Amino acid sequence: MAMRQTPLTCSGHTRPVVDLAFSGITPYGYFLISACKDGKPMLRQGDTGDWIGTFLGHKGAVWGATLNKEATKAATAAADFTAKVWDAVTGDEVLTLAHKHIVKSVNFTEDSTCLLTGGNDKVLRIYDLGKPEAEPLEIAGHTSAIKKALWCNNDQQILSAADDRTVRLWDKNTKEAVKTLAFDASVSSMEYIPDGEILVITYGRTIAFYNANSLDLIKAVDAPASIHSASLHPEKDFFVAGGDDFKLYKYDYTTKEEMESYKGHFGPIHCVRFSPDGELYASGSEDGTLRLWQTAVGKTYGLWKCVLPEELSSENSEVLYCPPAEIKA
Amino acid sequence: MSGMKTPVSVLRLPRGPEPNSRGFDPTSPRFIALCPTTLPSSSSSSGSADEEEQRLRAELRERFLRTLLLMTGKRVRFDMHEHVRVHARFGASDIDVLNLQVCDLETPLGVQREALLRSQDVIACSFEV
């Protein structure tokens, strides 16, 4: 029986949600962090969207947020010219790393010992979290603000996307650019999938997939509207994308065909990511909300419950909430 | 056709943030497992150190509350963020010390008869005892 997707709305932010990231799968489940222009990044339980805590301390919009694999540490990048490292269990601020301009992106290495930052001063910085007083390693080269910087290839290389319309692959040790990709439009987002070495890049209305080592193009798909973010399913059978028209699109990765589109957000979508188990994806929007969407609509998972037709009218039903039928515009 | 599909049911909606707390529940299984406890544990070896800490905390809290009482009705100097320094007559604070009620607040724009100062904006207050 075909079912209609019920997105779960996570409220709490008071301004646009501009970035989000999942942790890996831990003994306590997996977690989700959201970056918001209200300056208060939040940690949530990944499979339910339940709020766990808010990281308080930044004095400006938070542009980037990330968790380490174990969800024990969080890092945030903000308009107050700092990147901060947090204890993701207690919510305490652990480290403040001063920068010379707005910081846009933060990324931990696999072992969480180093933090990569990038922002409007166009320089990539690598901080050794064991020696926070030491000067960071700096990699210069981009001619415009850096939007996103990610570790790749076992943390030996770095991928960065900037407003200079390039994506560059750097060697961490030589600090040289190994490869550069140039685009006609600004790159809106980047996602790195270590398993399979795939890089997902969005620009204009295009979602493009590259080999992360060679930066060779694998395939590209054009969406009906300008896309701000896309994410590839861990099993690489689907990818999802969202952007200017407030809708979330789901595509078959193999055939590149659009499978579904979902309305729900009341503003452009800024970020979208699949959960580490691929069972759901989260989207962050200009409307200030995060929404969780099921990959397999109708499956019992997290807060979603598969209810058979006879159970819906049964008095013994444990289902407390059934969304009303929406009026189609 | 899609208008006839049944929407997926949910058990409940995701829980939102608590209004007065930053969260990170110290009684959650993850917190207990991953964080060293600062509250008294059942082992006797840490018992006396925790009792001492509790005693000191209680003493500091009492001193703070008595200071607030002493400040009542007095002309107080408030040093705030962004190099702001104002004088006012202190009235009272709310139960969570989130806001401070003052009167005759001297500001560059004139004297405000009644005002509320946000505690988080205040760095220090001083007054003549």
Side-chain angles (χ1 to χ4, degrees), chain B residues 25-94:
Chain B
D25 180 10
T27 65
S28 75
R30 190 170 94 115
F31 193 109
I32 292 166
L34 298 178
C35 289
T37 50
T38 55
L39 292 172
S41 60
S42 53
S43 73
S44 54
S45 57
S46 62
S48 54
D50 294 322
E51 274 168 30
E52 176 63 9
E53 185 181 323
Q54 189 57 43
R55 191 190 65 75
L56 285 167
R57 284 175 184 276
E59 196 180 294
L60 285 168
R61 178 70 178 170
E62 190 176 336
R63 284 218 326 232
F64 172 68
L65 292 172
R66 290 197 185 281
T67 305
L68 281 184
L69 281 173
L70 203 56
M71 245 166 64
T72 312
K74 297 225 168 48
R75 190 162 177 271
V76 177
R77 186 186 88 195
F78 295 94
D79 294 313
M80 307 175 77
H81 284 288
E82 304 293 338
H83 307 291
V84 170
R85 178 175 285 183
V86 289
H87 290 82
R89 198 157 296 278
F90 178 71
S93 106
D94 61 4

Side-chain angles (χ1 to χ4, degrees), chain A residues 3-63:
Chain A
M3 301 213 72
R4 194 148 52 85
Q5 168 94 257
T6 303
L8 291 169
T9 302
C10 305
S11 58
H13 284 305
T14 54
R15 299 233 27 236
V17 176
V18 290
D19 193 23
L20 66 89
F22 281 99
S23 70
I25 297 171
T26 82
Y28 305 92
Y30 57 87
F31 300 84
L32 168 59
I33 188 171
S34 50
C36 181
K37 285 189 182 177
D38 63 13
K40 303 194 181 95
M42 291 186 178
L43 185 71
R44 294 175 189 273
Q45 193 70 43
D47 63 337
T48 58
D50 288 339
W51 175 81
I52 293 174
T54 303
F55 298 101
L56 297 176
H58 274 302
K59 296 191 178 71
V62 176
W63 286 101

